[in-house]
Amino acid sequence: MTLIIGGYAGIHRRQRMGGQLLSFRILGSLEVVQEDAVCTPTAPKARQTLALLLLRSNHIVSTSALVDELWGDNPPPTVVTTAQSYIYQLRKVLHPRGRQAAPGEVALITRSPGYVLARHEGQLDHDLFLQVAGQGRALLEQDQDKTSACERLCIQGDMPVFACARGRGLQAPHRKVDE
């Protein structure tokens, strides 16, 4: 199956995890797709939280890194409670009807000193983009003509990367994809 990823076409591999088909798109508009239905949180800071957790998936994102991403040097007085409310909103999306994630499913786990979004390779369009970009770069290094490399990269125009608010934590990955 081919998917247009924020202006780039790539191979899209979603995996069935314990009965649910789930994928994430962060290139272009941030989206959570479950069973072919978009179920992305609408609150801007919840979306920003999700983007950070996705880019650092399978690793602990400390509460302090989350706070820094969302508010920088100006956190609100109720910063911990507010951050927890965004995590709660994301859990409602990822774990519908309040059920726990089954083994192999995407899970948003509380793990000191913060949270881990556990997911599998191929569920995030960013993974697929980096794979295709690497293939395009390899073609350039093999002295293939630029047209072939660009076709492999499937460039179709400018792409808004991480089309959500970005704090310090999302700046470095944004620069990496732009390169």
Side-chain angles (χ1 to χ4, degrees), residues 75-110:
T78 58
V79 68
V80 174
T81 305
T82 306
Q84 288 172 340
S85 73
Y86 297 133
I87 295 297
Y88 175 74
Q89 289 174 32
L90 294 178
R91 282 193 172 125
K92 284 177 29 179
V93 169
L94 299 173
H95 310 292
R97 296 173 293 284
R99 67 174 184 78
Q100 292 291 328
E105 286 185 339
V106 170
L108 182 50
I109 305 162
T110 301

PDB file of all heavy atoms in Angstrom, residues 75-110:
ATOM      1  N   PRO A  75       6.461  27.815  32.685  1.00  0.00           N
ATOM      2  CA  PRO A  75       5.412  26.829  32.994  1.00  0.00           C
ATOM      3  C   PRO A  75       4.341  27.432  33.903  1.00  0.00           C
ATOM      4  O   PRO A  75       4.629  28.331  34.701  1.00  0.00           O
ATOM      5  CB  PRO A  75       6.175  25.713  33.712  1.00  0.00           C
ATOM      6  CG  PRO A  75       7.363  26.386  34.301  1.00  0.00           C
ATOM      7  CD  PRO A  75       7.713  27.511  33.352  1.00  0.00           C
ATOM      8  N   PRO A  76       3.109  26.941  33.783  1.00  0.00           N
ATOM      9  CA  PRO A  76       2.042  27.443  34.653  1.00  0.00           C
ATOM     10  C   PRO A  76       2.241  26.928  36.080  1.00  0.00           C
ATOM     11  O   PRO A  76       2.964  25.955  36.300  1.00  0.00           O
ATOM     12  CB  PRO A  76       0.772  26.844  34.030  1.00  0.00           C
ATOM     13  CG  PRO A  76       1.248  25.616  33.337  1.00  0.00           C
ATOM     14  CD  PRO A  76       2.631  25.917  32.859  1.00  0.00           C
ATOM     15  N   PRO A  77       1.583  27.543  37.054  1.00  0.00           N
ATOM     16  CA  PRO A  77       1.733  27.102  38.445  1.00  0.00           C
ATOM     17  C   PRO A  77       1.279  25.651  38.653  1.00  0.00           C
ATOM     18  O   PRO A  77       1.811  24.953  39.506  1.00  0.00           O
ATOM     19  CB  PRO A  77       0.838  28.062  39.239  1.00  0.00           C
ATOM     20  CG  PRO A  77       0.586  29.222  38.333  1.00  0.00           C
ATOM     21  CD  PRO A  77       0.766  28.741  36.938  1.00  0.00           C
ATOM     22  N   THR A  78       0.336  25.189  37.859  1.00  0.00           N
ATOM     23  CA  THR A  78      -0.194  23.826  38.000  1.00  0.00           C
ATOM     24  C   THR A  78       0.420  22.901  36.947  1.00  0.00           C
ATOM     25  O   THR A  78      -0.269  22.023  36.406  1.00  0.00           O
ATOM     26  CB  THR A  78      -1.727  23.846  37.842  1.00  0.00           C
ATOM     27  OG1 THR A  78      -2.027  24.400  36.556  1.00  0.00           O
ATOM     28  CG2 THR A  78      -2.395  24.650  38.933  1.00  0.00           C
ATOM     29  N   VAL A  79       1.708  23.061  36.672  1.00  0.00           N
ATOM     30  CA  VAL A  79       2.370  22.401  35.557  1.00  0.00           C
ATOM     31  C   VAL A  79       2.240  20.873  35.599  1.00  0.00           C
ATOM     32  O   VAL A  79       1.944  20.250  34.581  1.00  0.00           O
ATOM     33  CB  VAL A  79       3.847  22.839  35.455  1.00  0.00           C
ATOM     34  CG1 VAL A  79       4.663  22.344  36.622  1.00  0.00           C
ATOM     35  CG2 VAL A  79       4.438  22.397  34.141  1.00  0.00           C
ATOM     36  N   VAL A  80       2.431  20.244  36.731  1.00  0.00           N
ATOM     37  CA  VAL A  80       2.385  18.779  36.810  1.00  0.00           C
ATOM     38  C   VAL A  80       0.978  18.275  36.518  1.00  0.00           C
ATOM     39  O   VAL A  80       0.779  17.358  35.713  1.00  0.00           O
ATOM     40  CB  VAL A  80       2.898  18.269  38.172  1.00  0.00           C
ATOM     41  CG1 VAL A  80       2.698  16.772  38.301  1.00  0.00           C
ATOM     42  CG2 VAL A  80       4.374  18.623  38.335  1.00  0.00           C
ATOM     43  N   THR A  81      -0.014  18.886  37.125  1.00  0.00           N
ATOM     44  CA  THR A  81      -1.401  18.487  36.909  1.00  0.00           C
ATOM     45  C   THR A  81      -1.807  18.704  35.457  1.00  0.00           C
ATOM     46  O   THR A  81      -2.479  17.855  34.852  1.00  0.00           O
ATOM     47  CB  THR A  81      -2.345  19.284  37.830  1.00  0.00           C
ATOM     48  OG1 THR A  81      -1.902  19.109  39.171  1.00  0.00           O
ATOM     49  CG2 THR A  81      -3.766  18.833  37.708  1.00  0.00           C
ATOM     50  N   THR A  82      -1.393  19.813  34.887  1.00  0.00           N
ATOM     51  CA  THR A  82      -1.731  20.115  33.501  1.00  0.00           C
ATOM     52  C   THR A  82      -1.078  19.106  32.557  1.00  0.00           C
ATOM     53  O   THR A  82      -1.732  18.595  31.637  1.00  0.00           O
ATOM     54  CB  THR A  82      -1.314  21.557  33.149  1.00  0.00           C
ATOM     55  OG1 THR A  82      -1.901  22.447  34.093  1.00  0.00           O
ATOM     56  CG2 THR A  82      -1.764  21.933  31.749  1.00  0.00           C
ATOM     57  N   ALA A  83       0.200  18.789  32.776  1.00  0.00           N
ATOM     58  CA  ALA A  83       0.886  17.791  31.948  1.00  0.00           C
ATOM     59  C   ALA A  83       0.201  16.432  32.080  1.00  0.00           C
ATOM     60  O   ALA A  83       0.011  15.722  31.079  1.00  0.00           O
ATOM     61  CB  ALA A  83       2.355  17.694  32.336  1.00  0.00           C
ATOM     62  N   GLN A  84      -0.192  16.071  33.277  1.00  0.00           N
ATOM     63  CA  GLN A  84      -0.890  14.800  33.494  1.00  0.00           C
ATOM     64  C   GLN A  84      -2.228  14.769  32.750  1.00  0.00           C
ATOM     65  O   GLN A  84      -2.646  13.718  32.266  1.00  0.00           O
ATOM     66  CB  GLN A  84      -1.114  14.558  34.985  1.00  0.00           C
ATOM     67  CG  GLN A  84       0.149  14.211  35.724  1.00  0.00           C
ATOM     68  CD  GLN A  84      -0.042  14.172  37.242  1.00  0.00           C
ATOM     69  OE1 GLN A  84      -0.990  14.736  37.782  1.00  0.00           O
ATOM     70  NE2 GLN A  84       0.890  13.515  37.912  1.00  0.00           N
ATOM     71  N   SER A  85      -2.877  15.909  32.634  1.00  0.00           N
ATOM     72  CA  SER A  85      -4.152  15.937  31.907  1.00  0.00           C
ATOM     73  C   SER A  85      -3.931  15.664  30.418  1.00  0.00           C
ATOM     74  O   SER A  85      -4.765  15.016  29.780  1.00  0.00           O
ATOM     75  CB  SER A  85      -4.891  17.254  32.125  1.00  0.00           C
ATOM     76  OG  SER A  85      -4.265  18.303  31.433  1.00  0.00           O
ATOM     77  N   TYR A  86      -2.811  16.126  29.855  1.00  0.00           N
ATOM     78  CA  TYR A  86      -2.514  15.833  28.454  1.00  0.00           C
ATOM     79  C   TYR A  86      -2.221  14.343  28.271  1.00  0.00           C
ATOM     80  O   TYR A  86      -2.648  13.737  27.286  1.00  0.00           O
ATOM     81  CB  TYR A  86      -1.351  16.678  27.935  1.00  0.00           C
ATOM     82  CG  TYR A  86      -1.665  18.153  27.947  1.00  0.00           C
ATOM     83  CD1 TYR A  86      -0.776  19.077  28.460  1.00  0.00           C
ATOM     84  CD2 TYR A  86      -2.879  18.631  27.452  1.00  0.00           C
ATOM     85  CE1 TYR A  86      -1.077  20.425  28.483  1.00  0.00           C
ATOM     86  CE2 TYR A  86      -3.187  19.975  27.471  1.00  0.00           C
ATOM     87  CZ  TYR A  86      -2.281  20.869  27.994  1.00  0.00           C
ATOM     88  OH  TYR A  86      -2.579  22.201  28.023  1.00  0.00           O
ATOM     89  N   ILE A  87      -1.510  13.753  29.204  1.00  0.00           N
ATOM     90  CA  ILE A  87      -1.239  12.314  29.159  1.00  0.00           C
ATOM     91  C   ILE A  87      -2.558  11.545  29.240  1.00  0.00           C
ATOM     92  O   ILE A  87      -2.781  10.578  28.500  1.00  0.00           O
ATOM     93  CB  ILE A  87      -0.275  11.891  30.291  1.00  0.00           C
ATOM     94  CG1 ILE A  87       1.105  12.539  30.101  1.00  0.00           C
ATOM     95  CG2 ILE A  87      -0.176  10.379  30.394  1.00  0.00           C
ATOM     96  CD1 ILE A  87       1.840  12.120  28.835  1.00  0.00           C
ATOM     97  N   TYR A  88      -3.449  11.980  30.113  1.00  0.00           N
ATOM     98  CA  TYR A  88      -4.763  11.341  30.249  1.00  0.00           C
ATOM     99  C   TYR A  88      -5.531  11.404  28.918  1.00  0.00           C
ATOM    100  O   TYR A  88      -6.124  10.414  28.478  1.00  0.00           O
ATOM    101  CB  TYR A  88      -5.550  12.016  31.372  1.00  0.00           C
ATOM    102  CG  TYR A  88      -6.963  11.513  31.506  1.00  0.00           C
ATOM    103  CD1 TYR A  88      -7.221  10.258  32.056  1.00  0.00           C
ATOM    104  CD2 TYR A  88      -8.036  12.285  31.081  1.00  0.00           C
ATOM    105  CE1 TYR A  88      -8.527   9.787  32.167  1.00  0.00           C
ATOM    106  CE2 TYR A  88      -9.342  11.824  31.186  1.00  0.00           C
ATOM    107  CZ  TYR A  88      -9.579  10.573  31.734  1.00  0.00           C
ATOM    108  OH  TYR A  88     -10.865  10.112  31.835  1.00  0.00           O
ATOM    109  N   GLN A  89      -5.500  12.576  28.263  1.00  0.00           N
ATOM    110  CA  GLN A  89      -6.178  12.725  26.974  1.00  0.00           C
ATOM    111  C   GLN A  89      -5.604  11.758  25.936  1.00  0.00           C
ATOM    112  O   GLN A  89      -6.353  11.150  25.164  1.00  0.00           O
ATOM    113  CB  GLN A  89      -6.046  14.158  26.455  1.00  0.00           C
ATOM    114  CG  GLN A  89      -6.844  15.172  27.221  1.00  0.00           C
ATOM    115  CD  GLN A  89      -6.555  16.594  26.738  1.00  0.00           C
ATOM    116  OE1 GLN A  89      -6.271  16.817  25.566  1.00  0.00           O
ATOM    117  NE2 GLN A  89      -6.630  17.543  27.652  1.00  0.00           N
ATOM    118  N   LEU A  90      -4.286  11.609  25.936  1.00  0.00           N
ATOM    119  CA  LEU A  90      -3.650  10.691  24.985  1.00  0.00           C
ATOM    120  C   LEU A  90      -4.009   9.246  25.292  1.00  0.00           C
ATOM    121  O   LEU A  90      -4.228   8.449  24.374  1.00  0.00           O
ATOM    122  CB  LEU A  90      -2.133  10.874  24.996  1.00  0.00           C
ATOM    123  CG  LEU A  90      -1.629  12.228  24.492  1.00  0.00           C
ATOM    124  CD1 LEU A  90      -0.124  12.307  24.607  1.00  0.00           C
ATOM    125  CD2 LEU A  90      -2.097  12.477  23.071  1.00  0.00           C
ATOM    126  N   ARG A  91      -4.074   8.905  26.558  1.00  0.00           N
ATOM    127  CA  ARG A  91      -4.454   7.529  26.917  1.00  0.00           C
ATOM    128  C   ARG A  91      -5.869   7.214  26.456  1.00  0.00           C
ATOM    129  O   ARG A  91      -6.153   6.089  26.055  1.00  0.00           O
ATOM    130  CB  ARG A  91      -4.321   7.326  28.423  1.00  0.00           C
ATOM    131  CG  ARG A  91      -2.878   7.120  28.838  1.00  0.00           C
ATOM    132  CD  ARG A  91      -2.771   6.606  30.253  1.00  0.00           C
ATOM    133  NE  ARG A  91      -1.390   6.243  30.515  1.00  0.00           N
ATOM    134  CZ  ARG A  91      -0.663   6.704  31.501  1.00  0.00           C
ATOM    135  NH1 ARG A  91      -1.195   7.542  32.375  1.00  0.00           N
ATOM    136  NH2 ARG A  91       0.582   6.316  31.649  1.00  0.00           N
ATOM    137  N   LYS A  92      -6.759   8.193  26.512  1.00  0.00           N
ATOM    138  CA  LYS A  92      -8.129   7.968  26.047  1.00  0.00           C
ATOM    139  C   LYS A  92      -8.146   7.654  24.549  1.00  0.00           C
ATOM    140  O   LYS A  92      -8.963   6.860  24.092  1.00  0.00           O
ATOM    141  CB  LYS A  92      -9.010   9.180  26.350  1.00  0.00           C
ATOM    142  CG  LYS A  92      -9.400   9.259  27.808  1.00  0.00           C
ATOM    143  CD  LYS A  92     -10.205  10.465  28.215  1.00  0.00           C
ATOM    144  CE  LYS A  92     -11.090  11.090  27.218  1.00  0.00           C
ATOM    145  NZ  LYS A  92     -11.853  12.242  27.708  1.00  0.00           N
ATOM    146  N   VAL A  93      -7.232   8.256  23.800  1.00  0.00           N
ATOM    147  CA  VAL A  93      -7.150   7.990  22.365  1.00  0.00           C
ATOM    148  C   VAL A  93      -6.505   6.631  22.102  1.00  0.00           C
ATOM    149  O   VAL A  93      -6.992   5.837  21.301  1.00  0.00           O
ATOM    150  CB  VAL A  93      -6.342   9.104  21.643  1.00  0.00           C
ATOM    151  CG1 VAL A  93      -6.016   8.718  20.217  1.00  0.00           C
ATOM    152  CG2 VAL A  93      -7.092  10.418  21.698  1.00  0.00           C
ATOM    153  N   LEU A  94      -5.405   6.357  22.793  1.00  0.00           N
ATOM    154  CA  LEU A  94      -4.641   5.131  22.536  1.00  0.00           C
ATOM    155  C   LEU A  94      -5.258   3.890  23.170  1.00  0.00           C
ATOM    156  O   LEU A  94      -5.039   2.780  22.703  1.00  0.00           O
ATOM    157  CB  LEU A  94      -3.203   5.300  23.034  1.00  0.00           C
ATOM    158  CG  LEU A  94      -2.408   6.416  22.362  1.00  0.00           C
ATOM    159  CD1 LEU A  94      -1.068   6.600  23.035  1.00  0.00           C
ATOM    160  CD2 LEU A  94      -2.243   6.141  20.880  1.00  0.00           C
ATOM    161  N   HIS A  95      -5.988   4.093  24.249  1.00  0.00           N
ATOM    162  CA  HIS A  95      -6.598   2.971  24.980  1.00  0.00           C
ATOM    163  C   HIS A  95      -8.091   3.238  25.137  1.00  0.00           C
ATOM    164  O   HIS A  95      -8.560   3.591  26.212  1.00  0.00           O
ATOM    165  CB  HIS A  95      -5.947   2.801  26.355  1.00  0.00           C
ATOM    166  CG  HIS A  95      -4.452   2.755  26.315  1.00  0.00           C
ATOM    167  ND1 HIS A  95      -3.761   1.709  25.757  1.00  0.00           N
ATOM    168  CD2 HIS A  95      -3.520   3.636  26.735  1.00  0.00           C
ATOM    169  CE1 HIS A  95      -2.465   1.955  25.854  1.00  0.00           C
ATOM    170  NE2 HIS A  95      -2.290   3.115  26.429  1.00  0.00           N
ATOM    171  N   PRO A  96      -8.830   3.090  24.036  1.00  0.00           N
ATOM    172  CA  PRO A  96     -10.262   3.408  24.102  1.00  0.00           C
ATOM    173  C   PRO A  96     -10.993   2.568  25.139  1.00  0.00           C
ATOM    174  O   PRO A  96     -10.608   1.463  25.460  1.00  0.00           O
ATOM    175  CB  PRO A  96     -10.766   3.104  22.690  1.00  0.00           C
ATOM    176  CG  PRO A  96      -9.670   2.431  21.976  1.00  0.00           C
ATOM    177  CD  PRO A  96      -8.425   2.547  22.767  1.00  0.00           C
ATOM    178  N   ARG A  97     -12.028   3.156  25.653  1.00  0.00           N
ATOM    179  CA  ARG A  97     -12.877   2.523  26.662  1.00  0.00           C
ATOM    180  C   ARG A  97     -12.113   2.170  27.931  1.00  0.00           C
ATOM    181  O   ARG A  97     -12.495   1.276  28.666  1.00  0.00           O
ATOM    182  CB  ARG A  97     -13.600   1.300  26.077  1.00  0.00           C
ATOM    183  CG  ARG A  97     -14.579   1.694  24.953  1.00  0.00           C
ATOM    184  CD  ARG A  97     -15.184   0.527  24.251  1.00  0.00           C
ATOM    185  NE  ARG A  97     -14.250  -0.281  23.463  1.00  0.00           N
ATOM    186  CZ  ARG A  97     -13.751   0.045  22.278  1.00  0.00           C
ATOM    187  NH1 ARG A  97     -14.082   1.188  21.733  1.00  0.00           N
ATOM    188  NH2 ARG A  97     -12.936  -0.756  21.631  1.00  0.00           N
ATOM    189  N   GLY A  98     -10.981   2.840  28.162  1.00  0.00           N
ATOM    190  CA  GLY A  98     -10.253   2.700  29.418  1.00  0.00           C
ATOM    191  C   GLY A  98      -9.553   1.371  29.629  1.00  0.00           C
ATOM    192  O   GLY A  98      -9.022   1.114  30.696  1.00  0.00           O
ATOM    193  N   ARG A  99      -9.499   0.539  28.611  1.00  0.00           N
ATOM    194  CA  ARG A  99      -8.874  -0.761  28.801  1.00  0.00           C
ATOM    195  C   ARG A  99      -7.357  -0.643  28.750  1.00  0.00           C
ATOM    196  O   ARG A  99      -6.812   0.264  28.139  1.00  0.00           O
ATOM    197  CB  ARG A  99      -9.369  -1.759  27.771  1.00  0.00           C
ATOM    198  CG  ARG A  99      -8.942  -1.444  26.356  1.00  0.00           C
ATOM    199  CD  ARG A  99      -9.351  -2.563  25.403  1.00  0.00           C
ATOM    200  NE  ARG A  99      -8.875  -2.312  24.063  1.00  0.00           N
ATOM    201  CZ  ARG A  99      -7.630  -2.500  23.653  1.00  0.00           C
ATOM    202  NH1 ARG A  99      -6.727  -2.942  24.487  1.00  0.00           N
ATOM    203  NH2 ARG A  99      -7.281  -2.235  22.417  1.00  0.00           N
ATOM    204  N   GLN A 100      -6.684  -1.571  29.376  1.00  0.00           N
ATOM    205  CA  GLN A 100      -5.228  -1.628  29.340  1.00  0.00           C
ATOM    206  C   GLN A 100      -4.773  -2.130  27.971  1.00  0.00           C
ATOM    207  O   GLN A 100      -5.482  -2.892  27.317  1.00  0.00           O
ATOM    208  CB  GLN A 100      -4.700  -2.584  30.420  1.00  0.00           C
ATOM    209  CG  GLN A 100      -4.924  -2.088  31.835  1.00  0.00           C
ATOM    210  CD  GLN A 100      -4.062  -0.873  32.136  1.00  0.00           C
ATOM    211  OE1 GLN A 100      -2.964  -0.726  31.626  1.00  0.00           O
ATOM    212  NE2 GLN A 100      -4.575   0.005  32.978  1.00  0.00           N
ATOM    213  N   ALA A 101      -3.595  -1.733  27.562  1.00  0.00           N
ATOM    214  CA  ALA A 101      -3.046  -2.222  26.299  1.00  0.00           C
ATOM    215  C   ALA A 101      -2.677  -3.689  26.450  1.00  0.00           C
ATOM    216  O   ALA A 101      -2.096  -4.094  27.457  1.00  0.00           O
ATOM    217  CB  ALA A 101      -1.819  -1.405  25.916  1.00  0.00           C
ATOM    218  N   ALA A 102      -3.031  -4.476  25.453  1.00  0.00           N
ATOM    219  CA  ALA A 102      -2.650  -5.883  25.432  1.00  0.00           C
ATOM    220  C   ALA A 102      -1.185  -5.983  25.003  1.00  0.00           C
ATOM    221  O   ALA A 102      -0.649  -5.056  24.390  1.00  0.00           O
ATOM    222  CB  ALA A 102      -3.548  -6.642  24.456  1.00  0.00           C
ATOM    223  N   PRO A 103      -0.536  -7.098  25.316  1.00  0.00           N
ATOM    224  CA  PRO A 103       0.855  -7.261  24.863  1.00  0.00           C
ATOM    225  C   PRO A 103       0.947  -7.074  23.352  1.00  0.00           C
ATOM    226  O   PRO A 103       0.134  -7.595  22.603  1.00  0.00           O
ATOM    227  CB  PRO A 103       1.190  -8.709  25.264  1.00  0.00           C
ATOM    228  CG  PRO A 103       0.265  -9.005  26.399  1.00  0.00           C
ATOM    229  CD  PRO A 103      -0.999  -8.237  26.095  1.00  0.00           C
ATOM    230  N   GLY A 104       1.934  -6.286  22.915  1.00  0.00           N
ATOM    231  CA  GLY A 104       2.118  -6.017  21.498  1.00  0.00           C
ATOM    232  C   GLY A 104       1.403  -4.784  20.994  1.00  0.00           C
ATOM    233  O   GLY A 104       1.670  -4.324  19.900  1.00  0.00           O
ATOM    234  N   GLU A 105       0.479  -4.226  21.764  1.00  0.00           N
ATOM    235  CA  GLU A 105      -0.219  -3.008  21.353  1.00  0.00           C
ATOM    236  C   GLU A 105       0.592  -1.785  21.749  1.00  0.00           C
ATOM    237  O   GLU A 105       1.440  -1.845  22.635  1.00  0.00           O
ATOM    238  CB  GLU A 105      -1.594  -2.914  22.014  1.00  0.00           C
ATOM    239  CG  GLU A 105      -2.611  -3.841  21.445  1.00  0.00           C
ATOM    240  CD  GLU A 105      -3.991  -3.641  22.053  1.00  0.00           C
ATOM    241  OE1 GLU A 105      -4.109  -3.084  23.147  1.00  0.00           O
ATOM    242  OE2 GLU A 105      -4.943  -4.046  21.396  1.00  0.00           O
ATOM    243  N   VAL A 106       0.296  -0.673  21.092  1.00  0.00           N
ATOM    244  CA  VAL A 106       0.889   0.596  21.495  1.00  0.00           C
ATOM    245  C   VAL A 106       0.425   0.885  22.909  1.00  0.00           C
ATOM    246  O   VAL A 106      -0.743   0.679  23.241  1.00  0.00           O
ATOM    247  CB  VAL A 106       0.439   1.726  20.548  1.00  0.00           C
ATOM    248  CG1 VAL A 106       0.837   3.082  21.083  1.00  0.00           C
ATOM    249  CG2 VAL A 106       1.013   1.506  19.167  1.00  0.00           C
ATOM    250  N   ALA A 107       1.344   1.342  23.739  1.00  0.00           N
ATOM    251  CA  ALA A 107       0.987   1.623  25.126  1.00  0.00           C
ATOM    252  C   ALA A 107       1.660   2.907  25.577  1.00  0.00           C
ATOM    253  O   ALA A 107       2.810   3.159  25.240  1.00  0.00           O
ATOM    254  CB  ALA A 107       1.412   0.464  26.029  1.00  0.00           C
ATOM    255  N   LEU A 108       0.944   3.698  26.325  1.00  0.00           N
ATOM    256  CA  LEU A 108       1.496   4.887  26.963  1.00  0.00           C
ATOM    257  C   LEU A 108       1.676   4.532  28.431  1.00  0.00           C
ATOM    258  O   LEU A 108       0.709   4.373  29.174  1.00  0.00           O
ATOM    259  CB  LEU A 108       0.568   6.086  26.786  1.00  0.00           C
ATOM    260  CG  LEU A 108       1.043   7.416  27.359  1.00  0.00           C
ATOM    261  CD1 LEU A 108       2.465   7.751  26.927  1.00  0.00           C
ATOM    262  CD2 LEU A 108       0.098   8.522  26.952  1.00  0.00           C
ATOM    263  N   ILE A 109       2.916   4.357  28.832  1.00  0.00           N
ATOM    264  CA  ILE A 109       3.270   3.799  30.134  1.00  0.00           C
ATOM    265  C   ILE A 109       3.878   4.875  31.022  1.00  0.00           C
ATOM    266  O   ILE A 109       4.731   5.639  30.566  1.00  0.00           O
ATOM    267  CB  ILE A 109       4.291   2.658  29.958  1.00  0.00           C
ATOM    268  CG1 ILE A 109       3.756   1.604  28.995  1.00  0.00           C
ATOM    269  CG2 ILE A 109       4.672   2.042  31.291  1.00  0.00           C
ATOM    270  CD1 ILE A 109       4.817   0.691  28.432  1.00  0.00           C
ATOM    271  N   THR A 110       3.448   4.912  32.269  1.00  0.00           N
ATOM    272  CA  THR A 110       4.105   5.778  33.248  1.00  0.00           C
ATOM    273  C   THR A 110       5.328   5.032  33.750  1.00  0.00           C
ATOM    274  O   THR A 110       5.225   3.914  34.248  1.00  0.00           O
ATOM    275  CB  THR A 110       3.168   6.081  34.432  1.00  0.00           C
ATOM    276  OG1 THR A 110       1.992   6.716  33.931  1.00  0.00           O
ATOM    277  CG2 THR A 110       3.846   6.990  35.450  1.00  0.00           C
TER     278      THR A 110
END
